Amino acid sequence: MKQFDVLVVDDEAEFRDLTVKILNKRGINARGAESGEQAMEILRHALIDVVLLDVKMPGIDGIETLRQIRIQNPLVEVVLLTGHASVESGIEGMKLGAFDYLMKPIELDPLLEKLSFAYEKKRLHQEKIELAQMKKHMAMPS
Amino acid sequence: MRNVFSAIKNMFFAPPPPKRSPEELRAAFARRYAHFRSLLTANNNALQAMAELEKVYYSGESYRMAVVRSKINTILVNVYKMIRGLREMAGGRYTELEEIFDKISCELSGIIERKPEFRDGPFILPLGEVTRRDREQVGEKMANLGELSAIPSLLVPPGFVVTATATRRFLTGTHIDEINRRLQTLDPDDMDGLYRACSEIKKMIIDSPLPAELEEMLVAGYRSLEEKNGPGCLVALRSSGLGEDSAGVSFAGLYRTILDVDRERLTTAYKEVVAGKYGARAIAYRRKRGYRHEDIEMCVGCLAMVDAVVSGVTYSRVPGGEEAEVMSINAVKGVGRGVVDGIAATDFFLLARNPPYSVVRQELGHGAFKNEHNLAEPILNTEQLRLLAEKAIVIETYFGEPQDIEWSFAVDGTLNILQSRPMMRPDPAAKKETIPAPAAHAEGELPFLTGGVCAAAGIASGQVFHVNSDEEMRTFPNGAMLVLEHPLPEWAPLVSRAAAVIAETGSEAGHLATISREFGIPALFGVSGVRQRLVQGDIITINSQAKSLYHGVREDLLSQRGVKRDIMAGSPVQRILTEALQLITPLNLNDPTSLQFKSSWCETLHDITRFCHEKSVAEMFTLGRGSHFDPGGAKRLVGDVPLEWWVIDLADGFKPGVANEAGTIRIDEIVSEPMLAIWQGISAYPWQGPPPISAKGFGSIIFQSAMRPDIDPSVATPLTTKNYFLISANFCNLSVRLGYHYAMIEAYLSDLLTESYVTFRFKGGAADTRRKAVRAKLLAEILQHYGFRVELRSDALLARVKKQSAEYLRERLRILGYLTLHARQLDMVMTQPQAVERYRQKFRQEIDAMLAIDAPVQEYSSGG
């Protein structure tokens, strides 16, 4: 698997730390954030490819965090994490542009699969943009 | 028809797309292909979740609301992804799908999130004023007792009911949300977690203060009892659930009853009974029977204590057919707990149901009274038995059905009725199980042990597993024989997972007996010394009606089993799922060539998936309007080939020198290893369906099927459907639609074992669900035989091989190629078992013969 960077956002410390540890063991650069606010702060400075985001958190919740991520870091892909989500919150997240969602308790294989697919999508998206930029530069020789 | 023609027209005569560089084209293709792949993944996930949902619905097994919710969520999200994927592929068209989707998902969440409606009433109702009409305030148990207290010939202890309105006042929405949050994040199989969560919830409830006005009312109620029964009188607090004790669902013994409560303990005891709703046993039971926690409301009856000399349980009509014209009485000294908990050895009486209610049989327990000559004497005298029988008939007549009655004789000799509920009767369908004991073992060995009381009739086999502790309870394997000392209600969560229940003590009147009957699990109680005779891990067969235990698995007995009842029948969760499925699984968009194959005809989520899938294939591969692809992208495979195949090269799948603009390709120009392997399987044996289609014949067949709209769709469709290979040197994705089957093979062959895989998906067919499932099962068996790891959900099949050598994977691909083409033959014969068997043989023989011929990939040439 290619190396990429994941941010795990969950107020539940036990779950967050365990997930980070497991992902690191699998060769993914993962780190944790305990709130939406902290996640936004990290995203301002660090290079993150995929965010694993819990929907239900105190403070700004997952859906609101997702909304902010779409504005601040539109290229970053988000996988939502729901505990006992109502039917709407899954769909709402998808409509706001989340890549996918997982239900707690999560299993490792689907988690790894979704994260790497999300990364793959981000990579393709980025390539497309780079290609377009290259074309622009070449079309306008300075 | 116009659509078909315009599609063809676009395909061949499309205006040249804007000029783009090869890199741009490839990047555009890669993006579109990525959308297509993720759309297909979403499609598979949605269909799989639908199949799983249908499977749980039709299985007759129990399922939880959390499962329903999570599956529906999975379906919704994946369907939404498909719509999003299709819209991205189609440059933003198909907006209307989003509206249809929103409408359906909105309706669905209305169904799923629907809360039971409650009317509010007073906090407290005196028992004497309660009738059946107050059920929604006082619960089933207290409503029945209220009715009985109004009958002059019956004596019911005085008391009052703390209503559901009071409970709602005490446990507010915030509490309930917090409780549900804790329960829903639990893994259903994690018993430790469940017990931990339950004790936390219980603590939370007991620590919550009672609202002042409620506490006032509670104390006022108690005062009015003191006025009748003297100051400082003791009371019993009994749970009375809403929806509890209705026919078929007993909730027997799952909730709390607290005896000998005084004024001081009243508040805490009330909270404890309310908290009893969240006992681990009660939660496990509701999950099994399809009740959401919000479907049950806990009311609390507060009754003056009876100073009991003898207590017991009367069944006004004995359960289990043969002795139907008798009633049974189980009695013990003191309060009745020993009977319902199954601990005490009881005195047991069978009485005629008509006056003078003579004793048909009596069995005196070990705890029986001894007279001065040290001889056992019945705990109840003739006069008491007659009184019990008389009252049982009064109560049965009043409610119009056989009753399970709890009672106590007080010190003053009065008979107090404490509870009455409809009896759990075995399902009429299970009546076939009445097998006389001698005939039952005529064919084989005699039983090694007989005796005890049949608490629930049935035949089952399984591995002996002794349970004496919580620890053993947690490790109890599904489908094992549960062997107990006492049939305590604590073991109830194990009953539904057990093959049968065997206990040293107990009678048919205990809670565990009730629950066993309810789940249709055979139970044999009161078999003394049984625990020493049963060795942990031994396989035994039980026929509880014949009170017999046999060594090993006795197929001769098991074959006489009746049908197990659907334990979810009529439950709130089943009702929700029934309604929800109506918006999910029916398929109205059957035929892609039909005029009704339009987004506006999508009524269910299944319709949307079908529509998106069909249109995405069109977007991906047809060279119609809005396409940005190199017209040479899809090439028709020509030569001696059955059906219609198109090939799209993603990278290095063709021999160097194949012209980009060529519209056709020959098999010997292809160098994609996985595609060649699949093709060997496809071409190994001649196609048994309609003859190969020549380019000339193609149009005429479309014309023919268009002229005959009534033509069998399973025949018409394959002729109008194209099958696509997407290839690179090491990769191949083949989508095949044959009739209504949808099959997909995907493979990546690499020198690195960890990267290599072969996946096969198969779904559908124009047959009813049962026939589809038979076909999928046959395919699954064949694939398993050849080393595939197979998951089968209803008629959706997923087979995988991973991390194997390229040579091994090529062989699997040949097998898949063969099956993909020939599985269609199964359509016509799926109703005939012999034919199924014949095809199994034929497939296996042909595959073996095919694999025996070594066909090195590099030297493969067409027409072989």
Side-chain angles (χ1 to χ4, degrees):
Chain A
M1 199 182 286
K2 289 182 200 80
Q3 280 269 334
F4 58 96
D5 295 271
V6 172
L7 179 63
V8 181
V9 189
D10 195 330
D11 57 313
E12 219 177 298
E14 197 184 331
F15 175 87
R16 185 181 65 233
D17 296 344
L18 187 69
T19 309
V20 166
K21 213 160 104 190
I22 288 170
L23 291 179
N24 282 331
K25 222 183 261 174
R26 295 295 172 123
I28 295 171
N29 301 324
R31 56 195 287 189
E34 61 177 23
S35 66
E37 289 87 345
Q38 199 189 354
M40 294 315 297
E41 187 54 36
I42 291 172
L43 283 165
R44 251 189 287 282
H45 305 295
L47 260 180
I48 298 289
D49 296 302
V50 182
V51 176
L52 184 64
L53 179 62
D54 190 28
V55 170
K56 192 144 187 172
M57 290 186 296
I60 62 168
D61 69 1
I63 296 293
E64 181 52 35
T65 309
L66 170 63
R67 217 186 298 268
Q68 294 186 16
I69 293 174
R70 302 310 299 169
I71 298 165
Q72 184 185 299
N73 308 66
L75 274 180
V76 168
E77 290 296 338
V78 176
V79 175
L80 288 175
L81 209 52
T82 63
H84 56 100
S86 68
V87 174
E88 298 94 4
S89 73
I91 297 299
E92 202 188 337
M94 298 304 293
K95 287 193 173 170
L96 283 171
F99 174 75
D100 210 332
Y101 87 109
L102 283 162
M103 276 211 200
K104 280 185 187 177
I106 52 173
E107 287 166 44
L108 183 60
D109 283 345
L111 172 67
L112 291 175
E113 194 186 85
K114 296 222 158 127
L115 289 179
S116 54
F117 282 167
Y119 170 65
E120 190 56 24
K121 186 180 172 205
K122 192 213 170 199
R123 202 179 54 80
L124 273 171
H125 196 177
Q126 212 153 10
E127 258 174 30
K128 180 181 164 188
I129 290 172
E130 279 160 15
L131 197 73
Q133 273 171 346
M134 206 153 60
K135 197 177 159 190
K136 204 168 110 193
H137 289 313
M138 281 159 65
M140 297 185 296
S142 53
Chain B
M1 195 154 121
R2 209 189 57 223
N3 288 349
V4 175
F5 281 131
S6 66
I8 293 171
K9 202 175 130 200
N10 281 332
M11 200 154 60
F12 292 112
F13 309 110
K19 274 219 156 156
R20 301 175 107 190
S21 72
E23 294 80 55
E24 278 177 324
L25 281 174
R26 231 168 257 294
F29 189 87
R31 274 198 308 280
R32 184 164 279 214
Y33 180 59
H35 283 310
F36 184 59
R37 282 287 306 274
S38 75
L39 189 148
L40 288 187
T41 308
N43 181 55
N44 289 330
N45 292 343
L47 292 183
Q48 206 155 61
M50 284 181 203
E52 284 164 3
L53 206 54
E54 274 192 331
K55 191 179 169 193
V56 297
Y57 184 70
Y58 290 113
S59 67
E61 308 275 317
S62 81
Y63 45 88
R64 300 195 295 132
M65 195 58 209
V67 172
V68 172
R69 197 190 299 269
S70 108
K71 294 280 176 246
I72 291 180
N73 238 333
T74 304
I75 294 167
L76 280 171
V77 167
N78 281 291
V79 171
Y80 183 73
K81 276 192 198 169
M82 289 184 77
I83 295 174
R84 197 168 69 176
L86 176 63
R87 295 200 57 209
E88 285 188 49
M89 290 177 79
R93 282 182 294 129
Y94 300 113
T95 329
E96 71 282 4
L97 280 179
E98 303 232 5
E99 286 157 24
I100 297 167
F101 175 82
D102 282 346
K103 188 170 156 282
I104 295 176
S105 70
C106 184
E107 274 179 60
L108 266 178
S109 73
I111 292 168
I112 293 167
E113 309 297 337
R114 185 190 302 143
K115 295 270 178 274
E117 277 178 31
F118 297 117
R119 279 185 301 114
D120 272 356
F123 287 165
I124 299 254
L125 282 171
L127 189 60
E129 292 170 21
V130 165
T131 67
R132 292 282 300 163
R133 276 199 304 279
D134 301 310
R135 245 161 53 240
E136 292 191 3
Q137 285 304 320
V138 302
E140 292 285 339
K141 200 188 278 179
M142 289 303 141
N144 287 352
L145 203 57
E147 291 277 340
L148 293 182
S149 67
I151 300 174
S153 66
L154 297 177
L155 180 62
V156 173
F160 60 90
V161 188
V162 192
T163 63
T165 305
T167 315
R168 283 194 292 272
R169 185 56 177 265
F170 171 42
L171 285 188
T172 59
T174 327
H175 289 113
I176 302 292
D177 286 348
E178 174 59 18
I179 289 167
N180 283 340
R181 191 190 67 79
R182 288 184 194 204
L183 290 177
Q184 278 167 351
T185 49
L186 277 179
D187 177 353
D189 293 326
D190 176 8
M191 289 300 255
D192 280 334
L194 178 61
Y195 277 86
R196 211 170 35 242
C198 288
S199 70
E200 283 167 19
I201 290 170
K202 192 181 158 193
K203 187 171 179 328
M204 183 186 100
I205 294 176
I206 290 172
D207 289 348
S208 305
L210 214 56
E213 67 272 33
L214 178 52
E215 181 146 19
E216 248 169 58
M217 292 298 289
L218 193 60
V219 172
Y222 177 78
R223 287 236 175 80
S224 69
L225 274 188
E226 274 184 322
E227 279 164 26
K228 284 178 205 150
N229 281 38
C233 73
L234 295 179
V235 293
L237 292 189
R238 288 172 165 259
S239 65
S240 177
L242 284 186
E244 212 193 310
D245 283 3
S246 53
V249 185
S250 71
F251 291 88
L254 292 170
Y255 302 132
R256 292 293 306 272
T257 293
I258 302 175
L259 303 179
D260 296 324
V261 177
D262 57 18
R263 160 82 204 270
E264 205 166 312
R265 277 197 62 211
L266 190 61
T267 317
T268 320
Y270 166 75
K271 289 196 266 191
E272 275 181 46
V273 175
V274 170
K277 176 179 164 186
Y278 296 101
R281 291 187 283 129
I283 286 170
Y285 181 86
R286 286 197 290 267
R287 284 177 176 174
K288 280 284 172 201
R289 294 303 305 259
Y291 283 74
R292 298 174 299 171
H293 304 305
E294 57 263 41
D295 292 321
I296 299 293
E297 285 260 288
M298 191 58 76
C299 316
V300 182
C302 180
L303 306 179
M305 281 298 295
V306 175
D307 196 0
V309 181
V310 182
S311 304
V313 173
T314 303
Y315 284 179
S316 70
R317 188 187 287 267
V318 169
E322 68 208 293
E323 295 169 304
E325 283 313 304
V326 290
M327 68 173 76
S328 73
I329 295 171
N330 275 282
V332 290
K333 280 189 278 183
V335 292
R337 178 124 281 190
V339 179
V340 291
D341 282 1
I343 303 169
T346 61
D347 274 10
F348 173 74
F349 307 88
L350 278 181
L351 269 61
R353 280 168 46 83
N354 296 312
Y357 311 111
S358 49
V359 175
V360 178
R361 200 171 90 217
Q362 67 180 36
E363 286 164 22
L364 305 186
H366 308 293
F369 283 155
K370 302 279 166 72
N371 64 11
E372 62 267 32
H373 307 295
N374 205 27
L375 291 170
E377 231 177 48
I379 200 169
L380 294 167
N381 61 36
T382 322
E383 179 52 28
Q384 285 172 317
L385 286 171
R386 192 194 54 74
L387 194 63
L388 278 171
E390 213 176 83
K391 302 303 180 201
I393 297 296
V394 169
I395 297 171
E396 181 185 303
T397 311
Y398 186 80
F399 287 119
E401 61 180 324
Q403 296 286 305
D404 165 350
I405 304 156
E406 278 181 41
W407 48 262
S408 283
F409 275 108
V411 185
D412 60 9
T414 53
L415 172 58
N416 291 262
I417 306 298
L418 304 177
Q419 183 183 320
S420 185
R421 63 175 176 217
M423 284 204 21
M424 285 302 309
R425 274 164 304 167
D427 204 37
K431 276 254 171 80
K432 293 186 201 105
E433 290 186 14
T434 50
I435 304 141
H441 45 72
E443 288 175 40
E445 236 178 277
L446 293 173
F448 67 92
L449 191 70
T450 56
V453 185
C454 172
I459 301 168
S461 69
Q463 215 170 23
V464 169
F465 195 94
H466 292 270
V467 174
N468 296 301
S469 64
D470 285 354
E471 182 52 36
E472 283 159 347
M473 178 165 176
R474 280 174 212 127
T475 52
F476 183 79
N478 286 340
M481 283 280 166
L482 177 58
V483 181
L484 303 167
E485 182 175 9
H486 304 302
L488 300 172
E490 272 91 307
W491 311 125
L494 296 182
V495 170
S496 63
R497 291 166 48 207
V501 190
I502 303 167
E504 295 238 349
T505 65
S507 68
E508 56 171 22
H511 288 322
L512 212 66
T514 308
I515 287 170
S516 300
R517 288 196 288 277
E518 194 175 322
F519 282 109
I521 304 289
L524 189 60
F525 290 172
V527 194
S528 48
V530 71
R531 286 187 307 152
Q532 267 163 14
R533 300 282 303 275
L534 296 179
V535 180
Q536 184 92 348
D538 274 7
I539 307 277
I540 61 164
T541 300
I542 180 174
N543 178 351
S544 61
Q545 186 123 32
K547 298 170 189 149
S548 303
L549 301 178
Y550 305 83
H551 288 299
V553 178
R554 291 290 296 271
E555 292 296 347
D556 55 323
L557 302 179
L558 292 170
S559 64
Q560 304 176 46
R561 257 187 309 198
V563 185
K564 231 172 141 185
R565 56 189 296 180
D566 180 355
I567 55 169
M568 296 289 284
S571 69
V573 174
Q574 193 191 52
R575 279 201 299 273
I576 288 172
L577 185 50
T578 308
E579 269 187 65
L581 278 175
Q582 283 312 304
L583 293 170
I584 298 174
T585 52
L587 185 60
N588 305 306
L589 266 59
N590 270 316
D591 182 358
T593 59
S594 140
L595 284 175
Q596 273 133 42
F597 200 89
K598 282 188 206 154
S599 56
S600 55
W601 285 82
C602 288
E603 284 173 15
T604 66
L605 294 177
H606 198 174
D607 288 337
I608 299 182
T609 62
R610 185 77 176 80
F611 183 82
C612 287
H613 182 269
E614 196 66 31
K615 293 300 172 194
S616 70
V617 172
E619 288 294 334
M620 186 72 207
F621 304 123
T622 61
L623 307 168
R625 196 161 27 96
S627 164
H628 306 293
F629 299 132
D630 182 350
K635 297 183 196 305
R636 173 96 187 265
L637 193 63
V638 290
D640 181 18
V641 298
L643 302 173
E644 197 183 345
W645 309 90
W646 292 74
V647 188
I648 290 171
D649 184 29
L650 299 175
D652 313 321
F654 295 156
K655 265 187 184 166
V658 171
N660 243 4
E661 55 279 3
T664 60
I665 187 123
R666 294 189 318 275
I667 193 75
D668 58 12
E669 291 174 310
I670 284 164
V671 293
S672 167
E673 279 202 46
M675 170 169 171
L676 289 173
I678 294 169
W679 192 255
Q680 283 168 11
I682 288 176
S683 54
Y685 294 93
W687 159 241
Q688 304 258 344
I693 307 147
S694 67
K696 201 179 87 192
F698 180 54
S700 73
I701 286 160
I702 289 188
F703 183 66
Q704 205 180 24
S705 67
M707 291 293 286
R708 293 171 51 201
D710 59 329
I711 198 165
D712 176 4
S714 68
V715 178
T717 321
L719 307 182
T720 57
T721 315
K722 295 185 282 292
N723 306 301
Y724 287 95
F725 284 100
L726 293 165
I727 59 169
S728 74
N730 297 317
F731 173 82
C732 176
N733 173 304
L734 169 63
S735 309
V736 183
R737 165 99 28 75
L738 287 168
Y740 285 123
H741 307 174
Y742 166 68
M744 195 190 82
I745 305 175
E746 192 175 284
Y748 188 80
L749 303 185
S750 157
D751 294 335
L752 275 176
L753 290 191
T754 47
E755 281 184 4
S756 303
Y757 67 90
V758 169
T759 309
F760 175 67
R761 289 177 188 278
F762 183 88
K763 164 101 179 112
D768 56 77
T769 314
R770 196 183 62 79
R771 283 166 63 196
K772 283 194 277 193
V774 170
R775 175 171 41 219
K777 193 161 159 266
L778 173 60
L779 285 177
E781 281 164 14
I782 292 173
L783 290 170
Q784 250 156 0
H785 174 79
Y786 289 106
F788 282 87
R789 209 156 53 81
V790 177
E791 286 171 39
L792 186 59
R793 293 189 175 90
S794 186
D795 66 327
L797 180 148
L798 169 61
R800 272 182 290 207
V801 187
K802 274 196 235 180
K803 300 183 186 173
Q804 295 281 353
S805 71
E807 188 43 53
Y808 183 87
L809 294 182
R810 270 198 292 271
E811 277 198 352
R812 301 314 107 179
L813 286 171
R814 285 161 73 188
I815 295 168
L816 292 178
Y818 170 88
L819 285 176
T820 305
L821 194 69
H822 297 282
R824 195 176 125 68
Q825 295 172 33
L826 298 173
D827 260 4
M828 348 298 185
V829 298
M830 267 302 143
T831 45
Q832 312 154 15
Q834 325 87 297
V836 172
E837 192 45 44
R838 205 171 65 235
Y839 272 97
R840 190 200 312 274
Q841 306 278 350
K842 178 180 175 228
F843 285 177
R844 291 265 291 269
Q845 275 165 13
E846 293 192 348
I847 290 172
D848 288 341
M850 174 179 79
L851 294 182
I853 304 165
D854 194 32
V857 166
Q858 301 308 326
E859 284 151 41
Y860 183 84
S861 66
S862 74

